[in-house]
Amino acid sequence: MWISSASVVTRNCQKLCREIMAGAASTSDPPLKIITGADAFGASLKDAMVSHLRSLGIAVEDTGVSSYYSAGAEVGRRVSSASSSSSEIRGLVCCGTGVGVAMFANKFPGVYAATCLTVEDAVNARSISDCNVLALSGAKTSPESAVEIFDAWIGTPFKSPCPASGSEPWSSEISSFLDDSLSEMAQIGKSTDHLSPTKPEYNSCAICCLAKNREFTPVDIMPGGSMKIMRETPTSAIVRFKAGSVEPAHHHTFGHDLVVIKGKKSVWNVSKSERADLVEGDYLFTPAGDVHRVKYYEDTEFFITWDGRWDIFLDEDLETAKKAIQQEAS
């Protein structure tokens, strides 16, 4: 059994909270400031908590009421950016469940938001994870209970005895682990490895697989010119060809749409005996299986999107393509 009575924790934390606030007022410790925010379902609880905070002498910056994701993000952003502040900055967010605001506050480095429905939740979150943003449920938590939860949260130091430790001091082994966890947690979210085009396991979604300046060996993709993929996702890309490049007749197992961003090109649909001359802003759809060749008159960039997995099948060699284009021009 973690704890004999929640009321014991509440009374102890309220006493410690008063001592902390009194001590901060009489020492050179950084002043405490709480950033608050809520959605419509948590607005009344947030307002009640703002009054309580101010009654304790805590400085409050209220960001008001917005969507749960905007409220959580705004508080998270401000707490995250306050690391160099002369004040100790924490956050308090409220929505219907207390979950959504915590999720979006946690998007920001250095923010450790926890949804706390009980005093025990609050004490555990502070002791174990150094939680610096408290999330409360407007639907499940009364103002009176929220006050108890907040007082427990604000009055519990990191690594202090908590329900998870059986209300006893942490062992030296776990205490050492918790000390190390602070520096390790601070690094989470800072790595850019997930953006690396050399790590295909990270390139499975349309956002994470964006790759800049990815060069392809021309002969592996298109033998008739210089081609560069500027951006790409699994089903779209921004492609650049140099002036004079030629794409020999080829086809794909998918249809594809393209829009010219800049430059000038011609596309011959060999299957339908059609020609399209495209400049900036022009759009073209090529159905699956249609054989087509392309000539680039200027440095050209275009956006292309397709259905399914990328493939390409050449239907003629480069010399045949150049002769066909030359005959068309003469």
Side-chain angles (χ1 to χ4, degrees):
M1 187 172 183
W2 280 1
I3 189 165
S4 58
S5 171
S7 62
V8 174
V9 177
T10 301
R11 288 196 299 271
N12 289 342
C13 289
Q14 288 175 335
K15 180 175 180 291
L16 184 55
C17 178
R18 290 192 293 269
E19 291 173 353
I20 290 173
M21 296 310 301
S26 60
T27 68
S28 58
D29 290 342
L32 177 64
K33 181 179 182 181
I34 304 289
I35 312 293
T36 66
D39 73 355
F41 296 100
S44 60
L45 182 59
K46 184 264 297 177
D47 291 343
M49 293 307 299
V50 168
S51 297
H52 176 64
L53 268 55
R54 287 174 174 158
S55 74
L56 294 175
I58 298 174
V60 178
E61 183 178 343
D62 188 2
T63 65
V65 177
S66 57
S67 65
Y68 73 91
Y69 44 87
S70 296
E74 184 60 25
V75 172
R77 182 183 299 108
R78 297 193 189 199
V79 172
S80 176
S81 64
S83 57
S84 60
S85 172
S86 60
S87 300
E88 181 185 357
I89 307 295
R90 295 193 198 178
L92 187 149
V93 285
C94 304
C95 69
T97 64
V99 175
V101 281
M103 289 172 59
F104 287 94
N106 277 324
K107 295 287 186 181
F108 296 87
V111 173
Y112 311 113
T115 303
C116 298
L117 300 178
T118 66
V119 166
E120 289 90 341
D121 289 344
V123 177
N124 285 335
R126 282 290 305 141
S127 174
I128 299 168
S129 301
D130 200 24
C131 169
N132 57 4
V133 174
L134 174 64
L136 297 172
S137 166
K140 296 292 185 181
T141 305
S142 68
E144 294 75 20
S145 294
V147 165
E148 292 184 350
I149 292 169
F150 174 83
D151 288 350
W153 177 76
I154 202 68
T156 301
F158 177 59
K159 295 200 309 177
S160 62
C162 66
S165 70
S167 297
E168 297 294 332
W170 290 106
S171 68
S172 58
E173 181 180 2
I174 294 181
S175 181
S176 177
F177 165 78
L178 293 175
D179 283 334
D180 292 339
S181 72
L182 291 181
S183 58
E184 293 176 7
M185 288 191 303
Q187 298 308 309
I188 294 174
K190 291 185 178 180
S191 171
T192 57
D193 284 349
H194 63 289
L195 298 177
S196 172
T198 64
K199 299 194 176 209
E201 65 269 25
Y202 292 115
N203 295 334
S204 59
C205 75
I207 296 176
C208 296
C209 74
L210 290 176
K212 292 185 177 181
N213 302 321
R214 180 182 245 179
E215 296 279 4
F216 286 82
T217 304
V219 71
D220 290 339
I221 299 296
M222 190 57 64
S226 175
M227 171 186 177
K228 178 187 283 190
I229 306 295
M230 308 305 295
R231 302 281 192 279
E232 70 168 335
T233 77
T235 58
S236 66
I238 295 178
V239 185
R240 176 185 294 168
F241 275 90
K242 285 188 177 180
S245 297
V246 171
E247 295 182 51
H250 61 281
H251 68 277
H252 311 279
T253 61
F254 49 80
H256 56 287
D257 303 84
L258 70 83
V259 177
V260 177
I261 299 172
K262 64 179 180 180
K264 181 180 179 181
K265 61 185 283 189
S266 289
V267 179
W268 287 268
N269 187 317
V270 179
S271 299
K272 293 183 170 62
S273 300
E274 297 175 350
R275 171 177 173 171
D277 297 314
L278 307 176
V279 294
E280 181 177 331
D282 284 344
Y283 163 84
L284 179 68
F285 171 70
T286 302
D290 277 16
V291 177
H292 54 288
R293 71 171 67 94
V294 186
K295 165 76 174 183
Y296 296 88
Y297 304 101
E298 302 173 358
D299 288 352
T300 302
E301 245 178 58
F302 57 92
F303 173 76
I304 181 171
T305 181
W306 59 89
D307 297 321
R309 189 174 181 84
W310 175 268
D311 59 26
I312 185 170
F313 302 92
L314 292 178
D315 296 285
E316 66 183 0
D317 58 41
L318 179 58
E319 290 307 312
T320 300
K322 287 182 177 179
K323 288 179 181 178
I325 292 171
Q326 187 174 12
Q327 289 174 358
E328 178 80 15
S330 59

